[in-house]
Amino acid sequence: MKSEYEMSLNDYIAIIKDRALLLGLSIVVILAVTVVVAVTVPPIYQSTGTILVESQQISPELVSAGNNTFADERIEVIRQRVMTRENLLRIIDKYDLFADKGRRFSESDKIDLMRNSIVVATLSTYVKGRGEATVAFNVSFEHKRPEVAKEVANELVTLFLNENLKQRTERANETTVFLTQEANKLGAELASLENQLADFKQTHANALPEHQALRMSMLSRSELEFREVDRDYKTAQEELRYLELELSAANSGLTTKAESVRGTPADLPQDLPSLKAEYARLLTKYKDAHPDVIAVKRKIEALEATGGRTLGASTVSLDVARVRTRIGAAQERIASLAEQKRELVKKMEGYEAEILQAPQVERGLVTLMRDHDNARKKYEEIRAKEMGAKITESLEQENKAERFVLLEPPLMPEKPVKPNRKKIVALGLVLAPAGAGALVMLLEMLKSRVRGVGALESVLGKRVLVAIPYISTQAELAQRKKWRKLMVVAALVLVAIMLVILHMFYMPLDLLLFKALARFQ
């Protein structure tokens, strides 16, 4: 009965012995190929310039900068502006880059190669209060010729520095222009509101809320004045009625009787001194407006007009003329008082209308004042921002704000950064036995053999009774001896190759020997 045979360690050793030549050649070939690749790949040199992100020179507590963006963001924006198609083509033409590519590469291919050759790496550190912050960044360029790498790296560093200054200055200038335009707009709006407010106050000057107390006081004063004028008006009307009675009495010659009717004593003295004495006596008892006082005063005036002569029939005409004159004066006074009353009524009505209109005027005034205050606050805010933008612009122009400073210019590279020949050779040392073993296993899978008694029993399904060992002939022994010599030579060649690799890519053999001896001393 057949059973699946599992290969033993002896079988693997037998395979290695049978395929020793193939294994050796495969290892040597793979290793030789890796060495050739490591040696023949052209070196790539890298020149690097370091740019420091320097903080604002003037204390932010005194002057605040306007361009407060993160350094990473700003560096990325500048990188995109520097690595435009126009700039890269100009650098390619200036330094004749990728000339060895000939016409096989288009402009787009060269630009892609150029961008892949440029490396921008930020350098960050921990800043107390800010966390992780970018303090510098490297700008590098890779090329097969070290002098070209240095020149192009210098060009790129210069572009970064100039673009940063240009960008910050343009941004500060644009901010200042924008804020100035907005301030002018708000200023015009504020002036318009001030004109509207002035016109409103001028139109409603008599109904402004701040004059409300004054108008109430003037209304009270007008009412008091109206009452006084009304009282005088009524007194004047009473006097007119009295004068009319007196005129009637004078016309009929019954002055004394008329006076008696009004309550005046009929036995008044007729001479001037006696009348004056009576007038003085009456003043001690009554006021000037009392009828008796008025009557005595009029007789005194009449006697003084006639030269102090005793009244008689000749005085009738004089009394009539005098009374008529006084009636005319009284009528004029009544008309004047009536006109004053009308004016006072009109004035009081005007005050009342203004007092009633005050709430509506106040509502409109409050709206205008609110709009004016809001516009003024916005205007003052934008003016303050404009002043800050102008200061920021001055800082940028004088290079006193946050800036990029060339910390270390690109130098001539002394060693290539690519390829890493040590890694290539080390990779070859790993791939050589792995590749040779894989090749042998592949051949064994394609052309399998029966090796040993166990394999034969597995194939036949029967037990082997006798096994006759293989007897080598003289020719086979000579062939084996020859192969052994070849294997020794191959091993020596391999060792020589390893020594050459160590000498070229790692360390000179004499230094390596000295170091090794130093460890054992």
Side-chain angles (χ1 to χ4, degrees), residues 101-113:
K101 305 298 181 182
R103 296 183 178 180
R104 294 178 300 165
F105 279 49
S106 63
E107 288 186 352
S108 299
D109 296 332
K110 293 180 179 179
I111 290 172
D112 292 337
L113 288 175

Side-chain angles (χ1 to χ4, degrees), residues 29 92 115 118 129 149 160 182 187 194 201 213 236 258 281 285-286 360 367-368 393-394 417 439 473 480 491 514:
V29 169
I92 290 172
R115 286 174 177 164
I118 298 173
F160 268 85
E182 290 299 314
E194 288 176 350
K201 286 185 175 182
R281 186 183 67 80
K285 297 172 61 179
Y286 309 108
Q360 297 180 355
T367 301
L368 286 175
E393 186 177 4
S394 300
V417 294
L439 178 62
T473 62
R480 289 179 183 177
F514 291 149

Side-chain angles (χ1 to χ4, degrees), residues 130-298:
R130 294 175 55 189
E132 197 77 14
T134 298
V135 296
F137 63 98
N138 292 331
V139 179
S140 306
F141 182 74
E142 299 174 353
H143 197 264
K144 293 184 293 185
R145 291 184 293 170
E147 63 276 6
V148 174
K150 175 180 177 297
E151 294 296 329
V152 176
N154 271 323
E155 185 84 12
L156 292 173
V157 167
T158 303
L159 284 176
F160 268 85
L161 295 175
N162 293 339
E163 187 63 34
N164 174 64
L165 182 61
K166 177 183 176 183
Q167 179 189 3
R168 293 183 68 90
T169 304
E170 286 180 354
R171 182 178 297 181
N173 184 38
E174 290 174 359
T175 303
T176 303
V177 171
F178 172 75
L179 291 176
T180 301
Q181 293 175 352
E182 290 299 314
N184 293 335
K185 290 179 182 178
L186 290 175
E189 182 180 351
L190 182 62
S192 175
L193 289 173
E194 288 176 350
N195 292 333
Q196 293 179 18
L197 187 59
D199 293 341
F200 185 85
K201 286 185 175 182
Q202 185 176 2
T203 304
H204 304 88
N206 297 326
L208 294 176
E210 58 263 26
H211 299 158
Q212 187 77 344
L214 177 61
R215 283 194 297 273
M216 294 294 292
S217 175
M218 293 177 67
L219 178 61
S220 300
R221 190 183 306 170
S222 298
E223 290 176 349
L224 180 60
E225 186 177 353
F226 178 80
R227 285 194 294 270
E228 292 177 355
V229 171
D230 185 62
R231 184 174 60 250
D232 293 342
Y233 178 77
K234 291 177 180 178
T235 303
Q237 284 182 332
E238 290 179 1
E239 184 179 359
L240 180 60
R241 286 194 295 271
Y242 169 74
L243 289 174
E244 288 175 351
L245 293 174
E246 188 175 355
L247 179 61
S248 300
N251 287 329
S252 60
L254 301 174
T255 305
T256 303
K257 183 178 179 182
E259 291 173 353
S260 300
V261 172
R262 297 179 63 249
T264 304
D267 55 350
L268 285 176
Q270 299 298 319
D271 58 307
L272 186 59
S274 299
L275 288 173
K276 288 183 177 180
E278 181 67 16
Y279 180 73
R281 186 183 67 80
L282 291 174
L283 285 177
T284 59
K285 297 172 61 179
Y286 309 108
K287 292 184 178 181
D288 293 342
H290 195 273
D292 292 345
V293 176
I294 294 173
V296 174
K297 184 178 179 182
R298 288 174 181 171

Side-chain angles (χ1 to χ4, degrees), residues 22-32 34 425-439 494:
L22 181 60
L23 280 171
L25 290 176
S26 300
I27 291 174
V28 171
V29 169
I30 294 174
L31 189 58
T34 55
V425 173
L427 182 63
L429 292 176
V430 175
L431 291 178
L439 178 62
L494 183 60

